Amino acid sequence: MITLVDSNVILDLVTDDPKWGQWSADTLSRVADESALAINPLIFAEVSIGFSTIEELEELLPPEEFARLALPYEAAFLAGKAFLAYRRRGGRRSAPLHRSPCGRVRTAAPHTGSAAVSHVLSRG
């Protein structure tokens, strides 16, 4: 099983978010015990904004712990639909790149070319 870790979970840990930091730490730890962790290019880009160098980001998200997955068009389509649902629930972000709109833990199965993502770890 592969779990795609959304940027909001990673950023909660990096920023020690007072509201979501502990939830993200506990949930990521549990999920890492149950499945392989992965990120995609959009997640990498979203998290990179807070780092000066790619080396700093690579240290936070080592490829040995976070597999690098391609972003298939099917997954991008589903992300767009999730963002639309987020907006309809009252979300104020104007674009999905700023913060992912997914729910806390959403099951999905987009094909990534070499592996299928079975879960997306995110939070509302």
Side-chain angles (χ1 to χ4, degrees), residues 12 15 21-22 24 32 37 39 44 46-49 52-53 58 61-62 64-65 83 85 97 104 114 116-118 122:
D12 289 345
T15 64
Q22 192 60 53
S24 292
L37 303 177
I39 59 172
F44 193 85
E46 291 172 349
V47 175
S48 75
I49 293 169
S52 300
T53 67
E58 290 285 346
L61 302 171
E64 306 81 43
E65 295 178 31
F83 182 71
L97 186 59
R104 288 189 181 195
S114 61
V117 172
S118 52
S122 186

Side-chain angles (χ1 to χ4, degrees), residues 58-95:
E58 290 285 346
E59 188 174 321
L60 174 72
L61 302 171
E64 306 81 43
E65 295 178 31
F66 292 87
R68 277 31 178 184
L69 303 179
L71 182 65
Y73 285 91
E74 294 86 358
F77 179 82
L78 293 173
K81 295 302 180 194
F83 182 71
L84 179 61
Y86 158 82
R87 291 298 305 252
R88 288 182 176 160
R89 288 190 314 267
R92 294 184 283 170
R93 300 279 183 193
S94 60

